[in-house]
Amino acid sequence: MKKLISYLYRNNSIVYKVLLFLSTAFAIVYFFPKGGKFRYDFSQGKPWQYDNLYAPFDFAIEKSEKEVSDEITQITSSSKQYFLFDNTKVDEIKSEFTQKLESLKVSDSLSSQDIRKLKKSGNQLINNIYRYGFIDDVSKNKLNKNSIVVLRKGEVIEEISYQKLVQSKDILTKINDKFVDYEKSYGKDYIFEVLSEIIQPNVSFDAKFTQKELDEILNDISYTKGMVSKDALIIQKGDIVEGENLNVLNSFKEASKSLIWTKSNYNWLVLGYTLLVSLALLMLLLFLDRYRKEIYLDNSKVTFIFSNVLLMIFAQTLMVKYNPDFLYVIPLSILPIVLKAFFDARLGLFTHVLTVLLLGFIVPNSFEFIYLHIIAGIVTILSVTELYKRASLFISIAQITLIYMVTYFAFSIIKEGNISNIKWEYFGLFAVNGLLSFLAVFFIYFYEKIFGLVSDVTLLELSNTNSKLLRELNEKAPGTFQHSMQVANLAEAAANEIGANSMLVRTGALYHDIGKMKNPKFFTENQITGVNPHNDLAPRDSAKIILDHVIDGIEIAKKNNIPDRIIDFIRTHHGTSLVYYFYKKEKDKNPNMEVEEKKFRYQGPIPFSKETAILMICDAAEAASKSLQNPSAQSIDELIDKIVEGQKGNNQFINSNITFREIEKIKKVIKGKLMNIYHLRIEYPE
């Protein structure tokens, strides 16, 4: 047991990675929709690439979405419209009409016979109007005059032509026609007024009952239109997948899912997904181990990468489960943007491609999905640069969104053969995708705080010479500050020349000597009075003060919350080099004693990246150039060659992944910059 605990303790980093690997794989498989993958891949308008396909079982041929939609439209347009006929309202109108006529007094204008005649004619008109019913125009529910409607008179149902129903626009005409020949104007006007007032619609559209009947009919719609028997030929090799062939293949695909992927083989399905996910994550770990060793050894960074992959897969699978129509709303381009901001383009693209390939197993139209997102990921890597510039991210995301739209447009034309069936709403989804991609800025800020990473935006803030720490350096050690500025300019130019991270190396150069603030007068660049305090110290004590500026710088940086990525420049800018001046002085002082070299050598580590190697070269070159009495092109050239060869001879660059060719380019840049700095102007006559 003790041996096991001891082994786990010694290999805690590997144990952590194994646990991270297993938990991430489990989470991804858990999120994945548990459905089988159809064994054949086919696209509309493309030839069938496999051998002749025969049905392995009986299955029904499903109607296409268009066929079902057309059938629903036809049923809806031809469905019966139900109306309620109100008998009580007819009786009320007749009763009210009779009362008004009975209250009419016999006069010179109207005799009792005239009143009886008006009453009879009025009742005839009411019966005529309400024979089939009086409906208001607003209740016609988009019917034409030849439409057949159904009247519900209590328990009695009667089908009639819609044109038989009286509408409000016809009422006045009917009243006028009925009494046009009546000779007495007083009676005519009175009856016209009475009937116009009391006659009201008694037929209303029964929306609830109509919808109920329509739903019952729609529920009885058959979604199949035939059968394919076992061993029947489905499609021949080389046939074009379109029309009926496409419909039968889609039916076979759906039938296969329902018959093959059942609970009995659920465990095999999960095993298959687990193997595929594990392989993808293993490839990511192997990539980090082989090409990004410094990231692989940092468990925090590995956790960060795996967490981002899991987050993207989680968001996409949620959309697949709940609404696949909005599949392209999820901004997967955030992943390469974030990884490129903190690491590099190659890692960002590699991780993005693996993530998209994993998602390809669960999304519809997987080839289209994979192609779209991989192309978008490549454009993201190529276009997203200098995130600290506000316009840069906006332009890059606009380019990514345009690529999405163009690629989808091309796919649609290939599949449909024209643009009439393109789903234009997808262009809106891509626009939303672009807007959501701006969340990358939020994620970058959030990850900086959680994982202690550094992006270009943070580097820009740190490189501001008005920041608290750099302002303090300028006040306490102005010579060191000017030295740091010169080194930063040299390092930035060199980094640009070989394609390294210029913003990172510039920021590292500005902070690499902040440890000199503790004892600024012990460094020559700050000795403005000409008094050298080292004259009063033993060489060993002087060397300790010089060596300690690295440790002091690390302590000051940590106290001021400077990111580790910048502190790395403080640690490595002298590597394991020797403070040769005081070492030689100690040897000369004690020629008969063996001098302990360790006391005069920096603790390191040596540079482990191109950027830290650039700083080491530029720092030594700038400092040494100050010792030249009469700077010339030849003396500068010889000095830089001597410094770099000495660093190479001391194996200071073996861990920095920098080539001899790149070192030569750096030397050339430094020589050119220093010659410009020390170039003397012509002497003007007095």
Side-chain angles (χ1 to χ4, degrees), residues 414-460:
I414 292 171
K415 291 197 310 185
E416 304 293 343
N418 55 61
I419 64 171
S420 59
N421 294 322
I422 291 179
K423 296 181 179 179
W424 298 103
E425 60 269 19
Y426 270 51
F427 291 92
L429 298 182
F430 293 133
V432 174
N433 181 298
L435 291 175
L436 291 176
S437 296
F438 283 102
L439 289 174
V441 177
F442 165 77
F443 281 110
I444 289 171
Y445 177 80
F446 176 75
Y447 290 143
E448 284 180 336
K449 302 303 179 185
I450 298 298
F451 293 94
L453 298 169
V454 182
S455 69
D456 284 352
V457 178
T458 301
L459 292 176
L460 181 65

Side-chain angles (χ1 to χ4, degrees), residues 396-407:
S396 298
I397 289 178
Q399 292 174 345
I400 296 165
T401 305
L402 180 62
I403 289 296
Y404 270 124
M405 292 180 177
V406 171
T407 309

Side-chain angles (χ1 to χ4, degrees), residues 476-490:
K476 292 183 177 180
T480 300
F481 178 78
Q482 293 302 321
H483 160 72
S484 298
M485 290 288 290
Q486 293 283 10
V487 173
N489 292 333
L490 290 175

Side-chain angles (χ1 to χ4, degrees), residues 492-552:
E492 183 178 20
N496 284 326
E497 183 67 22
I498 67 170
N501 190 332
S502 59
M503 179 64 73
L504 175 62
V505 73
R506 177 178 180 82
T507 309
L510 290 172
Y511 287 88
H512 79 283
D513 270 344
I514 58 173
K516 292 181 179 179
M517 285 194 295
K518 190 170 184 180
N519 296 296
K521 297 301 181 183
F522 285 88
F523 299 91
T524 56
E525 65 266 24
N526 299 311
Q527 295 169 1
I528 58 176
T529 62
V531 177
N532 190 345
H534 288 290
N535 295 333
D536 300 326
L537 297 175
R540 187 182 297 250
D541 294 332
S542 294
K544 186 178 187 308
I545 293 173
I546 300 299
L547 294 173
D548 282 350
H549 89 273
V550 172
I551 298 172
D552 294 336

Side-chain angles (χ1 to χ4, degrees), residues 352-385:
H352 176 72
V353 169
L354 283 181
T355 304
V356 172
L357 289 175
L358 283 175
L359 290 170
F361 292 112
I362 60 168
V363 297
N365 300 320
S366 57
F367 176 75
E368 178 182 324
F369 177 88
I370 292 172
Y371 187 91
L372 270 169
H373 282 295
I374 287 181
I375 292 294
I378 293 172
V379 173
T380 302
I381 293 298
L382 294 176
S383 62
V384 176
T385 56

Side-chain angles (χ1 to χ4, degrees), residues 284 305 309 335 339 346-356:
L284 182 54
I305 294 170
V309 172
L335 182 60
L339 293 183
R346 190 177 177 187
L347 175 59
L349 182 60
F350 187 86
T351 308
H352 176 72
V353 169
L354 283 181
T355 304
V356 172

Side-chain angles (χ1 to χ4, degrees), residues 302-314:
V302 176
T303 304
F304 168 74
I305 294 170
F306 273 56
S307 299
N308 274 274
V309 172
L310 183 61
L311 177 63
M312 291 295 105
I313 290 177
F314 173 71

